[in-house]
Amino acid sequence: MDAGLKRELEEKVYAGERLTRADGEALYATDDLAWLGRLAHHVRTEKNGDRVMFNVNRHLNLTNVCSASCAYCSFQRKPGEKDAYTMRVEQAVEKALEMKDEQLTELHIVNGLHPTLPWKYYPRVLRALKEALPGVSLKCFTATEVQWFEKISGLSADEILDELIDAGLDSLTGGGAEIFDWEVRQKIVDHACHWEDWSRIHRLAHSKGLRTPSTMLYGHIEEPRHRVDHVMRLRELQDETGGFAVFIPLRYQHDFHDSADGIVRNRIQAQTTMASPAESLKTFAVSRLMLDNFEHVKCFWVMHGLSLAQLSLNFGADDLDGSVVEYKITHDADAYGTPHTMHREDLLQLIWDGGFRPVERNTRYQVVREYDAPVTAADRRREPQQVWA
Ligand code: SF4
């Protein structure tokens, strides 16, 4: 990038001017990662100071049986496969209750598109979970699942959301977004929920007072221009509804244990090496800069590893996913040694050690508790710390 364009982009960011599609693509093309991070860190600090939010949640997958076979997914199983499972309502409640003593505030539930489970199963599970854990928010189902419920029930998304909200739904999840651009999407997604339906369902959820997350799966066969296109669509929808709580870039994962049963489910791994740490930090930074109407950018550490998650806090992220006991979609296996579970104390330490101030939040991003730093870290927290200082 030439010095003139660099100065122009820098001036726009510091003046709070909205960046264009061409600006986003130019930012991805820069080799100056430290400069890009500094711009994103400026915006992140303007919006969120030195706070890093997190919530204590548990991820549950009620079933891994799925009618679709998305090319990036190592989670789905077909009916009758050896490790296919579907939880009974009581099993889901039993699993959730195991975390009761850990002051969990949210359950995050996503599932395969089960071919024969009746629609009524889903509100029934929500009701049972709400009854068992009345203080816990239920963040459940992707827009893809809601569209699937339309298909299996004959109801409209409007009626489905009303029934789910009545059963205790507090938020949808942000999944199913992947990459909206059709050129890429048609090669990786194997269900019928694309931008038109994904945006329709989130728009509807926002109109009913739900705040929802949004995601982007990057680092597979897409190019930076597709990532820019993706966040611009979300930015437009956010202008319209204001209902997105957060944006979450998710790094595409290889399935390192395909050989366990000899079946290659994650079919695009031969075409990609996965995003490097630098590419991931770039994606966080450019997303933060483009999404001027989003308050929060979250790093889901299970998909990035703890080191990268900590660094992402200096590249635009201000939110870390909390205690995750189980998370399986796209992450059945990991060759990096990333733990699958982390608890409150581990997370606090990670945030303090990065030079930030941990703030526990609930699903709606209301503050649950602010944490004082250990004495030894206090000086380091007076100003947001940057890794290249
Ligand atoms: S990503 Fe979701 S819809 Fe696609 S195959 Fe996996 S579980 Fe099924």
Side-chain angles (χ1 to χ4, degrees):
M1 183 187 300
D2 68 56
L5 179 57
K6 211 167 170 180
R7 202 166 41 249
E8 195 185 305
L9 288 169
E10 208 169 298
E11 281 169 8
K12 271 179 124 170
V13 169
Y14 285 110
E17 261 181 63
R18 176 161 277 196
L19 299 179
T20 64
R21 184 181 296 264
D23 292 338
E25 289 178 14
L27 288 169
Y28 268 115
T30 182
D31 291 328
D32 194 343
L33 191 60
W35 171 77
L36 191 56
R38 198 155 52 242
L39 294 186
H41 194 69
H42 167 77
V43 174
R44 173 247 193 274
T45 306
E46 290 274 294
K47 287 186 182 289
N48 292 292
D50 64 348
R51 302 203 306 187
V52 171
M53 298 193 118
F54 71 96
N55 72 338
V56 180
N57 66 1
R58 177 167 186 169
H59 289 232
L60 270 186
N61 307 119
L62 301 171
T63 178
N64 63 354
V65 176
C66 188
S67 303
S69 300
C70 298
Y72 55 85
C73 180
S74 56
F75 169 72
Q76 53 86 15
R77 297 291 184 274
K78 297 304 166 212
E81 270 196 60
K82 191 163 60 78
D83 47 359
Y85 73 86
T86 301
M87 287 183 197
R88 293 194 313 277
V89 175
E90 309 75 53
Q91 285 175 308
V93 171
E94 193 183 318
K95 280 224 164 230
L97 283 173
E98 284 168 18
M99 288 278 286
K100 199 176 178 182
D101 295 335
E102 297 192 22
Q103 295 167 33
L104 128 117
T105 63
E106 177 186 279
L107 273 172
H108 178 123
I109 301 178
V110 290
N111 318 289
L113 309 177
H114 196 290
T116 54
L117 261 183
W119 139 248
K120 284 289 178 191
Y121 164 83
Y122 300 94
R124 203 173 295 140
V125 173
L126 260 50
R127 280 207 168 81
L129 289 171
K130 209 59 170 184
E131 201 180 308
L133 295 164
V136 173
S137 295
L138 300 179
K139 186 167 77 183
C140 314
F141 313 125
T142 60
T144 308
E145 289 179 83
V146 174
Q147 196 212 28
W148 180 253
F149 300 156
E150 288 184 290
K151 182 177 162 143
I152 61 174
S153 69
L155 300 171
S156 66
D158 193 32
E159 294 165 309
I160 283 164
L161 286 178
D162 281 346
E163 183 154 353
L164 291 175
I165 291 168
D166 188 57
L169 182 78
D170 293 289
S171 170
L172 293 179
T173 70
E178 326 315 357
I179 286 285
F180 293 129
D181 184 285
W182 182 243
E183 191 186 340
V184 175
R185 192 171 184 86
Q186 62 182 322
K187 295 182 184 134
I188 63 168
V189 164
D190 181 44
H191 52 69
C193 185
H194 307 303
W195 166 248
E196 292 70 19
D197 286 308
W198 194 96
S199 56
R200 169 177 66 87
I201 288 163
H202 279 265
R203 186 183 284 113
L204 198 55
H206 298 169
S207 76
K208 292 177 186 294
L210 300 185
R211 295 193 75 211
T212 65
S214 56
T215 62
M216 173 176 76
L217 186 71
Y218 73 92
H220 41 88
I221 57 170
E222 90 293 355
E223 295 171 21
R225 68 189 164 95
H226 300 122
R227 291 180 219 161
V228 173
D229 174 78
H230 190 93
V231 296
M232 286 198 64
R233 293 186 198 220
L234 291 173
R235 188 170 78 180
E236 269 174 42
L237 187 52
Q238 179 76 327
D239 277 344
E240 184 189 323
T241 69
F244 287 118
V246 60
F247 175 68
I248 314 163
L250 299 170
R251 183 165 72 147
Y252 162 73
Q253 308 279 298
H254 279 193
D255 176 1
F256 298 99
H257 289 274
D258 259 353
S259 56
D261 63 7
I263 299 171
V264 178
R265 296 182 180 84
N266 191 333
R267 302 186 306 283
I268 50 173
Q269 56 194 329
Q271 301 167 51
T272 172
T273 53
M274 285 177 54
S276 68
E279 193 60 28
S280 293
L281 293 176
K282 231 182 217 189
T283 304
F284 273 94
V286 179
S287 303
R288 177 62 286 173
L289 291 167
M290 295 298 294
L291 292 171
D292 54 6
N293 52 2
F294 277 61
E295 277 309 295
H296 303 288
V297 172
K298 182 199 276 191
C299 179
F300 182 45
W301 58 263
V302 177
M303 282 185 167
H304 293 92
L306 298 181
S307 309
L308 193 56
Q310 196 182 44
L311 283 173
S312 75
L313 304 177
N314 288 277
F315 284 79
D318 64 282
D319 186 21
L320 288 175
D321 214 334
S323 301
V324 178
V325 170
E326 290 186 355
Y327 192 78
K328 290 173 182 164
I329 290 181
T330 79
H331 197 79
D332 252 359
D334 186 334
Y336 295 124
T338 305
H340 282 242
T341 65
M342 189 156 72
H343 295 272
R344 188 193 313 262
E345 290 309 314
D346 304 321
L347 204 58
L348 291 176
Q349 206 49 54
L350 189 87
I351 296 167
W352 280 320
D353 187 54
F356 294 91
R357 187 164 56 91
V359 175
E360 190 175 339
R361 63 164 176 83
N362 61 19
T363 304
R364 295 186 73 85
Y365 282 80
Q366 292 156 332
V367 174
V368 172
R369 183 171 162 192
E370 306 212 23
Y371 288 84
D372 287 332
V375 175
T376 50
D379 285 344
R380 305 175 58 223
R381 291 193 303 115
R382 282 197 190 121
E383 297 293 331
Q385 304 291 303
Q386 297 197 20
V387 284
W388 52 84

